[in-house]
Amino acid sequence: MQKVLLAATALTMALVTSGCVIVVADEGDAKMMRGNSTRTADGYVVLDRDGDYTRLAGDVKLRGRNGGDLSLVAGDVDIDDLDIGGDASIVGGDINFSGRVGREASITGGEINFSAEVGDELNLAGGEIEFSGRVHGEASMAAGEMVLAGWFGDSLHAEADEIRFTGEARGPVKLVAADELRNSRRNNQRGLIEIDGTLAGGGEICAISVAFAEGSRVGSGVTVWAESAPSVASGAQVSGLDYRPRNGRDCDDLIDD
């Protein structure tokens, strides 16, 4: 997966800006295709295939079924209810992704809206992330701003300037906002983590400020590092919270990777 992303990143500028399109099929793929890819009236390519699908292109719009791995380097990517049997690797601009990934997914883009189900690990990196999917393996996310409204079956590690969590995490979490505490960040909304969902597996939170909204369901074993004690709204169910003053220190010095 990492090799695919490194190669994709190196080719992105040359291929995407030129509008070049390359489709690479695996050996014997023509025999495994149930039918040719077809383009619908609204511009989507509908896949129905058992092999891998690799594309270096401009904007990409996909639907259907791909039994192998999916690898894309593109401009904007719109994946609508696509069933992927293997891994998914995407480098692009704005990315909308719904459907299912059988194994691992690794996605890098600008604005990412992800509502798919992932059978194994998930890695997302972008300017803004909105997540409303389901991930059964470990999840790692990094962005400027993110909203996490989905379901996490294993550990979750998320870093951003602002995080709003409204989903459900069954495993341990590491949520970090404003890793380095600069003076310019002390008097604005950067560095805020708001919890309005379920943290069932404990974990660590490091931010400038932390708020538990009325929809919070937080079990024991959660440690909060912040510049001030977290606020807890009426109706929030928060038990065994361990607050520790951050005192201007960087989160990297407080939370072990």
Side-chain angles (χ1 to χ4, degrees):
M1 182 67 71
Q2 291 180 340
K3 292 181 180 178
V4 172
L5 278 175
L6 288 173
T9 303
L11 290 169
T12 299
M13 293 303 296
L15 291 169
V16 172
T17 57
S18 68
C20 177
V21 176
I22 302 175
V23 178
V24 181
D26 57 348
E27 184 177 355
D29 187 57
K31 296 180 180 179
M32 292 187 288
M33 292 278 288
R34 293 187 177 182
N36 294 328
S37 298
T38 59
R39 189 172 297 276
T40 67
D42 56 358
Y44 282 86
V45 172
V46 180
L47 300 178
D48 188 5
R49 59 193 288 129
D50 293 323
D52 297 339
Y53 185 80
T54 299
R55 182 169 179 175
L56 310 178
D59 295 345
V60 174
K61 301 174 75 174
L62 297 176
R63 288 183 180 137
R65 183 193 70 87
N66 190 75
D69 297 340
L70 176 75
S71 299
L72 301 176
V73 180
D76 292 341
V77 177
D78 193 344
I79 293 179
D80 178 30
D81 197 24
L82 180 63
D83 191 336
I84 301 168
D87 298 334
S89 174
I90 300 174
V91 178
D94 293 343
I95 299 172
N96 293 299
F97 194 124
S98 66
R100 186 187 74 87
V101 179
R103 297 199 299 252
E104 299 180 8
S106 183
I107 297 174
T108 302
E111 294 185 10
I112 300 175
N113 190 324
F114 192 92
S115 57
E117 180 171 5
V118 179
D120 203 339
E121 296 182 8
L122 172 65
N123 293 278
L124 298 180
E128 297 182 12
I129 292 175
E130 289 194 14
F131 176 85
S132 57
R134 294 175 62 87
V135 54
H136 295 271
E138 297 179 358
S140 179
M141 304 186 182
E145 299 179 4
M146 68 175 68
V147 177
L148 305 179
W151 182 87
F152 301 89
D154 204 326
S155 62
L156 166 64
H157 188 174
E159 295 191 22
D161 276 342
E162 297 179 48
I163 299 175
R164 176 173 170 80
F165 183 91
T166 62
E168 179 180 1
R170 305 308 302 173
V173 301
K174 291 183 180 179
L175 305 180
V176 176
D179 176 25
E180 297 179 357
L181 190 57
R182 300 193 294 268
N183 289 333
S184 61
R185 282 175 164 171
R186 288 178 181 271
N187 297 319
N188 59 32
Q189 291 300 306
R190 298 295 181 183
L192 170 66
I193 294 180
E194 183 179 21
I195 306 297
D196 198 11
T198 299
L199 303 180
E204 296 175 286
I205 299 173
C206 184
I208 296 177
S209 57
V210 177
F212 293 93
E214 61 182 2
S216 299
R217 302 294 181 266
V218 179
S220 60
V222 174
T223 299
V224 172
W225 299 89
E227 288 294 281
S228 58
S231 63
V232 180
S234 176
Q237 298 180 17
V238 179
S239 62
L241 195 67
D242 180 11
Y243 164 63
R244 302 180 186 183
R246 182 171 171 178
N247 293 331
R249 291 171 290 180
D250 291 346
C251 292
D252 285 345
D253 297 328
L254 302 172
I255 295 180
D256 294 329
D257 288 332

